[in-house]
Amino acid sequence: MDIKLIAIDIDGTLLNEKNELAQPTIDAITAARKKGVKIVLCTGRPLSGVQPYLDKLKISGGDEFAITFNGAMAQTLAGKVTVNHTITYDNFLETEMLSRKLNVNYQIETTDSIYTTNRDTNPYGIAESFLVRLPIKFRSPEEIPRDLVMSKAMFVDFPENITKANQLIPDKLRNDMYVVQTEPFFIEMMNKQASKGKTLGELADQLNLTKDNIMAIGDQGNDFTMVDYAGFGVAMGNAIDEVKKAAQFITKPNTEDGVAFAINKYVND
């Protein structure tokens, strides 16, 4: 294999069960980078939520990249957007109204803030704000500017409510937008052109790489497209079955430094 880029999901993949970046993973990534392999973190988070891990990995600069908002954007680590698939104001209106019908909390994310239309938010929305290092702001639908650049919309609620809502989302919305449940308490709705796999492919084209030059490592439904796209897809041991079926290799779970194991086995050896 001629791996020149490794795309890595963050939650449940790069991070262990304590949401920590373990030293064996840092060491494996550092060794791969010394061999000239580019590391691209691919996540539902904005760039602000990726930065703490980039700092620990000592990855920075205008020639390094991250895929953010589950593929809505690819950005240099200096902040320049090189791939952009955001949602429209009409998408916002449709999904916000649907949240009312399904009785789940709602929010949209931009590069610098989270906006919720629910005056009483829930613990998962607040936790997301801390996790991605973005302030959360209450705005009524009428207060959301038509020209606001929205990366994605989200249903954010207790798992039992999200499970029920996921079964009731109309086919029309699924046809019009990329809809994926990324956690038991999140459903994310994005531009139809946005996915980790599609944006990874667009970034690869910009870097003059082919899919055979790419390893992608993930665990959840929003990782399926990039694991399926990559020339060498890796599923975590803790991955869902759909991702495991798309992968060429199933590594150890994140509780056992599965990212480090895969990189050391196929890139650093």
Side-chain angles (χ1 to χ4, degrees), residues 12-17 20-26 28 217 236-238 249 251-265:
T13 301
L14 182 75
L15 306 183
N16 63 19
E17 76 280 10
E20 296 172 343
L21 181 49
Q23 193 60 47
T25 303
I26 295 174
I217 313 174
M236 298 296 290
N238 52 288
F249 177 67
T251 188
K252 294 181 179 181
N254 67 328
T255 56
E256 300 176 31
D257 306 316
V259 167
F261 184 80
I263 292 175
N264 287 333
K265 181 177 177 67

Side-chain angles (χ1 to χ4, degrees), residues 1-9 13-14 25 28-42 54 57 59 64-67 200 203-204 207 209-218 226 229-234 258-268:
M1 289 186 293
D2 184 22
I3 301 299
K4 295 181 179 178
L5 186 154
I6 306 174
I8 311 173
D9 170 55
T13 301
L14 182 75
T25 303
I29 287 174
T30 300
R33 293 188 69 227
K34 286 180 179 178
K35 298 182 73 169
V37 176
K38 193 172 288 291
I39 303 297
V40 177
L41 299 187
C42 302
L54 296 169
L57 294 168
I59 304 175
E64 301 287 352
F65 298 84
I67 289 175
L200 179 58
L203 178 59
L207 297 174
L209 301 177
T210 71
K211 62 192 303 184
D212 292 331
N213 299 135
I214 296 175
M215 172 189 284
I217 313 174
M226 73 172 186
Y229 161 78
F232 193 73
V234 177
V259 167
F261 184 80
I263 292 175
N264 287 333
K265 181 177 177 67
Y266 289 103
V267 178
N268 292 338

Side-chain angles (χ1 to χ4, degrees), residues 18 62 65 88 166 224 250 261:
K18 298 177 183 178
F65 298 84
T88 67
N166 202 19
F224 170 82
I250 300 174
F261 184 80

Side-chain angles (χ1 to χ4, degrees), residues 47-176:
L47 190 57
S48 60
V50 183
Q51 196 59 55
Y53 310 110
L54 296 169
D55 292 343
K56 289 183 178 180
L57 294 168
K58 294 182 170 57
I59 304 175
S60 63
D63 60 346
E64 301 287 352
F65 298 84
I67 289 175
T68 55
F69 297 111
N70 277 323
M73 291 182 179
Q75 299 171 262
T76 72
L77 301 190
K80 180 182 177 182
V81 176
T82 64
V83 179
N84 192 18
H85 299 300
T86 51
I87 65 174
T88 67
Y89 186 74
D90 285 343
N91 292 150
F92 157 68
L93 292 177
E94 182 179 8
T95 53
E96 199 279 334
M97 180 58 71
L98 181 60
S99 75
R100 299 177 188 224
K101 293 179 180 178
L102 300 180
N103 196 29
V104 290
N105 278 33
Y106 179 85
Q107 65 189 40
I108 54 175
E109 291 193 7
T110 72
T111 55
D112 55 14
S113 296
I114 294 172
Y115 295 89
T116 178
T117 54
N118 306 103
R119 189 179 297 276
D120 296 325
T121 188
N122 64 35
Y124 300 105
I126 295 169
E128 171 76 352
S129 173
F130 279 96
L131 183 70
V132 302
R133 303 168 76 195
L134 290 179
I136 188 166
K137 303 174 181 179
F138 167 72
R139 297 288 187 274
S140 67
E142 294 78 13
E143 293 174 310
I144 299 295
R146 286 180 172 270
D147 60 352
L148 183 67
V149 179
M150 296 174 276
S151 297
K152 63 180 178 180
M154 300 175 68
F155 296 154
V156 181
D157 218 302
F158 294 94
E160 58 270 26
N161 296 337
I162 289 296
T163 298
K164 186 183 299 183
N166 202 19
Q167 297 168 348
L168 297 174
I169 293 174
D171 289 341
K172 180 183 181 302
L173 183 64
R174 292 188 186 276
N175 290 332
D176 291 344

